[in-house]
Amino acid sequence: HEIKNPLTPIQLAAQQMRDGYRGGDAEYRRLVVEGAEIVEEEVRGLRGLVQEFSEFARLPEPRLRAVPVADLLDDVAGLYGAKVDPRAENGGRALLAWCDPDEMHRVFINLVNNALQAQEPAGVAAPVEIVARPGAQGGGAFEVLDRGPGVKPANRQRVFAPDYSTKPGGMGLGLAIVHEIVRAHGSAIEAGERPGGGAAFRFSLPGPAAGE
């Protein structure tokens, strides 16, 4: 709160300076507008950081139940539409996973957003692939695949650390949150390489028999 509370008056002050200038100096007006835009951009960034810290600090215990893998895939498809390509292989849609669907919702949001951001600088418009298959011990095995620059082998463990990020202004908490949620489900997530180039994030969820 000590960080978040002052952000609104800072943003409002910048907007008032921009909108309240009535002089005729075009150069000065340009400086005021640019300065206000910088302040507003930094305020948005700080709000994002505060939100990330808040989510990471308050991760709840998962409320586990049997959830159809088809429901998890449909949830992602409903959120992102043509930006994702969720598919199930070898009967994956018929599987049941022992998980908290709300927490898995957060996992997929973080992974898909991360994948879309990785593809953006390269101008890749292809959808992010989400593949579900039967797990080795029941449940489902999942892959989230993008066509970005990939993750260097030396960084494939570091990307899940709370203080690691390659994004300007980022704190790296998105993948740290994913790591903690998957761990709380009794599993692990790993970063690897997508065949043909790009990154692959893989994790599994147990089936009801293993979880009950």
Side-chain angles (χ1 to χ4, degrees), residues 16-158:
Q16 289 171 354
M17 285 190 296
R18 179 194 62 203
D19 299 338
Y21 179 67
R22 297 290 183 267
D25 188 328
E27 179 64 17
Y28 185 72
R29 175 178 291 279
R30 183 187 65 80
L31 291 174
V32 170
V33 170
E34 289 183 357
E37 288 176 351
I38 291 170
V39 171
E40 291 175 330
E41 181 178 350
E42 293 302 318
V43 166
R44 284 193 295 270
L46 286 171
R47 283 202 175 107
L49 292 180
V50 170
Q51 182 65 29
E52 286 186 18
F53 275 117
S54 177
E55 289 181 1
F56 187 68
R58 295 184 300 178
L59 288 177
E61 286 295 319
R63 298 180 179 181
L64 303 174
R65 61 182 177 87
V67 179
V69 167
D71 288 357
L72 299 176
L73 297 179
D74 291 344
D75 178 55
V76 182
L79 284 172
Y80 291 96
K83 293 182 179 181
V84 297
D85 175 22
R87 65 180 188 272
E89 298 179 354
N90 303 322
R93 285 188 67 87
L95 298 170
L96 291 176
W98 189 249
C99 67
D100 182 327
D102 293 331
E103 291 300 284
M104 296 316 302
H105 177 89
R106 297 175 74 182
V107 165
F108 282 113
I109 283 178
N110 275 302
L111 289 176
V112 171
N113 285 347
N114 194 68
L116 291 171
Q117 290 169 7
Q119 293 186 162
E120 186 176 356
V124 176
V128 173
E129 299 172 82
I130 303 170
V131 183
R133 301 182 180 90
Q137 298 179 346
F142 300 87
E143 287 184 302
V144 178
L145 309 162
D146 67 58
R147 292 173 173 80
V151 182
K152 295 178 181 178
N155 294 334
R156 289 177 184 171
Q157 291 297 323
R158 294 180 61 203

